[in-house]
Amino acid sequence: MGEVPETHSGWTFLTNHARVLAAIAEDPSTRIRDIAARCRLTERAVQKIISDLELGGYLTHTRQGRTNEYRIEPGTILRHPADAGLSVAGLLSLLEQHDAERDTTPQPRRTASARERDSPTDR
């Protein structure tokens, strides 16, 4: 069996359903094992989320040999009333834009004092 991912305590901005959907959008032929690793979930949790997304009409899959090929239904509207009018395509577009900006933004350089503060010392 695979390793159990490190758990996260506290709240996050994105739900696990959104994370799984984003992982599938990035690679429609991705494996459940890879989604689980990326999203820090168990494979069983990912299977349940994919089932939820399929039942909700957000996602379909077809079997391609030993793997699944997923298809996101981009026009499906998000479920929460506060998100009325926002489609899956709109959500994924926002996430993609965020990722693109994060990847091109230079990381701040750490100063010597920050490195000293962050490293353990024998004092």
Side-chain angles (χ1 to χ4, degrees):
M1 281 278 155
E3 213 175 289
V4 176
E6 179 183 327
T7 60
H8 178 295
S9 61
W11 63 274
T12 63
F13 282 100
L14 296 178
T15 66
N16 290 335
H17 285 66
R19 291 179 198 285
V20 168
L21 195 66
I24 290 170
E26 188 172 298
D27 180 4
S29 62
T30 189
R31 299 178 307 169
I32 287 177
R33 173 179 299 153
D34 297 330
I35 296 169
R38 175 180 172 171
C39 298
R40 294 184 155 189
L41 299 169
T42 64
E43 290 180 34
R44 180 73 182 123
V46 171
Q47 289 172 335
K48 171 73 169 99
I49 289 169
I50 288 173
S51 176
D52 289 346
L53 292 170
E54 286 184 311
L55 287 172
Y58 295 94
L59 184 65
T60 59
H61 79 275
T62 54
R63 196 79 175 145
Q64 300 289 331
R66 294 178 55 185
T67 62
N68 288 321
E69 181 78 21
Y70 298 98
R71 182 177 184 282
I72 294 172
E73 301 297 334
T76 307
I77 303 299
L78 300 183
R79 295 170 44 131
H80 197 281
D83 301 324
L86 182 60
S87 67
V88 169
L91 172 66
L92 293 173
S93 175
L94 290 171
L95 293 175
E96 185 178 315
Q97 179 182 353
H98 172 267
D99 286 350
E101 289 172 2
R102 180 182 63 192
D103 292 344
T104 60
T105 302
Q107 297 297 315
R109 290 181 46 182
R110 292 177 49 188
T111 63
S113 61
R115 283 191 299 271
E116 290 168 5
R117 183 179 59 243
D118 293 343
S119 65
T121 58
D122 297 329
R123 293 182 187 191

